Amino acid sequence: MAWSLSLREFRQPLLAEELLLAAGKALYLANAFETKCQYVLRILNLVQIVESDPVLTLEQAFAALPQDKMLAATVQDITGYQLSSDMAKMDLLHRARRARNFIAHEGMSTGPIWGLHRQTIIEHTGRLRAAVADLAAGDNVVSAWCYEIDEKEPAPRDFTSAYPDMVATWIFGRLDLLITQTEGEPDDREPTLAEYLKQRSTTQSGQ
């Protein structure tokens, strides 16, 4: 194995940059999903502790909480509480966990980034997009639970319905635009920096 970067010029510098940005955003979502799962399990455990011994002080109840676990064990414990009679939601959590693992360990497993061809970027984007879709679906479920815990009311349906598309647009919107705009060009042809900045400015102003 050699260095991750090279003195060679990138074959697709702008597409590679946008793929890196998309993978970074996906990793942010993956980390947030794990944090929210731990929060939900912590609350469920706290409720169980208080209900099993109502004379405990709040400090004693917090002290009795088990330590946070890895994501797989966390999701399994949440499933054990049977928060929802809809088992499809539990399946979404497990699929999101697997998607999180892909994003964390293979989100940018593309080989040397300086040598990436346009088609390779498109193919990896497809794999990343599938993982993000599964992650967003599970994150939507656990986020709604967090909202209900904090706000003491059901999560807004309009927002939960729109959330998966919001995530996809936020992570892949610019990358998809650049892929479309470079269609039919030679694999070593990228827009100039001025062209790219103009494209990004147009995209931002249209959002």
Side-chain angles (χ1 to χ4, degrees):
M1 299 296 287
W3 291 276
S4 298
L5 296 181
S6 171
L7 295 177
R8 304 180 191 182
E9 292 186 1
F10 278 35
R11 181 179 294 274
Q12 293 284 353
L14 300 182
L15 278 174
E17 176 186 298
E18 287 299 337
L19 178 60
L20 280 167
L21 180 60
K25 289 180 176 180
L27 183 59
Y28 163 78
L29 191 72
N31 290 343
F33 169 72
E34 183 166 8
T35 298
K36 283 178 274 190
C37 285
Q38 290 174 340
Y39 172 69
V40 168
L41 181 59
R42 210 173 297 130
I43 295 299
L44 292 171
N45 286 335
L46 184 62
V47 170
Q48 185 181 62
I49 290 168
V50 171
E51 288 180 346
S52 63
D53 191 351
V55 301
L56 286 178
T57 66
L58 189 57
E59 287 184 356
Q60 290 172 328
F62 274 112
L65 281 172
Q67 291 187 344
D68 290 338
K69 301 179 179 180
M70 300 295 286
L71 182 59
T74 299
V75 171
Q76 190 62 45
D77 285 355
I78 290 174
T79 302
Y81 273 104
Q82 298 181 336
L83 277 182
S84 172
S85 58
D86 184 358
M87 292 308 297
K89 287 186 177 180
M90 300 299 109
D91 182 58
L92 289 178
L93 290 186
H94 286 287
R95 290 174 62 180
R97 174 188 59 79
R98 292 191 291 270
R100 174 266 178 201
N101 289 342
F102 173 85
I103 291 167
H105 300 294
E106 301 180 58
M108 271 305 298
S109 183
T110 59
I113 192 168
W114 47 264
L116 285 178
H117 291 264
R118 181 176 182 277
Q119 186 58 37
T120 304
I121 291 173
I122 291 173
E123 290 171 359
H124 186 76
T125 298
R127 292 190 289 272
L128 186 60
R129 193 190 310 275
V132 166
D134 283 347
L135 177 62
D139 185 56
N140 204 12
V141 171
V142 76
S143 295
W145 289 339
C146 289
Y147 181 93
E148 291 168 11
I149 290 169
D150 294 342
E151 303 299 329
K152 308 298 187 295
E153 63 181 27
R157 289 188 178 181
D158 289 347
F159 190 83
T160 56
S161 296
Y163 186 71
D165 287 338
M166 289 171 58
V167 167
T169 299
W170 179 60
I171 292 179
F172 297 107
R174 290 178 179 175
L175 179 56
D176 287 342
L177 176 63
L178 190 57
I179 288 173
T180 299
Q181 291 175 337
T182 59
E183 186 175 1
E185 295 181 356
D187 197 37
D188 58 354
R189 165 69 168 92
E190 282 286 293
T192 65
L193 180 59
E195 290 172 338
Y196 178 61
L197 292 175
K198 182 178 180 180
Q199 292 165 3
R200 291 184 68 164
S201 176
T202 301
T203 303
Q204 290 175 330
S205 62
Q207 291 178 348

